[in-house]
Amino acid sequence: DDHADAGQYANASVIVVDNNSGNGTQTGTIERPGDTDLFRFTAPATGEATITISRPADSLIRPKVSLLDRNGAVIATATGDDDPTFFIAQVSGTVARGDVFYVLVEGAGPPNVNTRPFGAYTVGLSTPPVDDHPNATEWTLATKIVLASATGDGNVGTAVSGDPSNPFLQPNNDTDLFTFANTNDRGRDP
């Protein structure tokens, strides 16, 4: 067996996630009907993760994939179609920075007319990458903006376009979270 089976969390194969892109891959083979393969990954940032199970041209597996939380509870499950062309199984779910998640792959069926419940596959993982500032909902990690006590002004980065210290939003679904505190009580009602 090439990977740990369902429930063998301590032995789950690691999907290495590139912190800059948020992507990772692993390959495997469901050797026989009833076989399962278990993987784990650590989310580099908070946001939506997508797991896609595809197959090489010489495999006819009809994949089923489940995204599990650190306790083994199912977050999402999907099964590929019984179709020789459109067979991808894909799930998405919200992940939190630093948390461990599991991916369970198994063969689906029967009935399978055009596919098999076993064969080779590839796990493709897309998670939010680590970026310049924490993402939405990462309240305890928010970048602090220091406010000047005389003016109440504050900023992150500079006014110079292209300065690497300036915040930027990348990839397209990136968010940046900031926090600040009132440094004086001027103008407040008693």
Side-chain angles (χ1 to χ4, degrees), residues 5-186:
D5 290 322
Q8 298 176 333
Y9 299 106
N11 299 319
S13 298
V14 175
I15 300 174
V16 177
V17 180
D18 180 297
N19 284 335
N20 294 320
S21 69
N23 298 329
T25 61
Q26 266 279 16
T27 59
T29 301
I30 299 297
E31 286 88 6
R32 64 197 173 330
D35 183 25
T36 60
D37 288 346
L38 186 65
F39 301 91
R40 76 173 185 264
F41 68 93
T42 302
T46 297
E48 184 171 273
T50 300
I51 297 94
T52 303
I53 308 300
S54 59
R55 66 179 187 216
D58 61 348
S59 176
L60 288 176
I61 188 171
R62 180 180 179 198
K64 178 179 179 184
V65 61
S66 298
L67 173 61
L68 314 172
D69 69 14
R70 72 168 106 190
N71 299 313
V74 175
I75 296 171
T77 299
T79 301
D81 291 335
D82 182 21
D83 188 295
T85 307
F86 303 103
F87 51 80
I88 291 174
Q90 188 175 71
V91 294
S92 295
T94 300
V95 297
R97 181 187 305 258
D99 276 358
V100 172
F101 294 86
Y102 296 93
V103 176
L104 181 64
V105 179
E106 51 195 306
N112 291 342
V113 175
N114 298 301
T115 57
R116 305 284 178 267
F118 54 87
Y121 63 87
T122 299
V123 178
L125 173 64
S126 176
T127 67
V130 173
D131 61 23
D132 58 336
H133 297 281
N135 293 321
T137 73
E138 294 182 305
W139 307 112
T140 61
L141 301 174
T143 301
K144 185 176 183 179
I145 297 175
V146 178
L147 302 178
S149 60
T151 65
D153 293 340
N155 66 307
V156 174
T158 69
V160 177
S161 178
D163 186 314
S165 69
N166 292 339
F168 62 95
L169 296 174
Q170 186 178 3
N172 290 338
N173 62 348
D174 184 24
T175 59
D176 286 345
L177 186 63
F178 302 93
T179 185
F180 62 93
N182 187 3
T183 57
N184 69 43
D185 291 328
R186 287 186 298 162

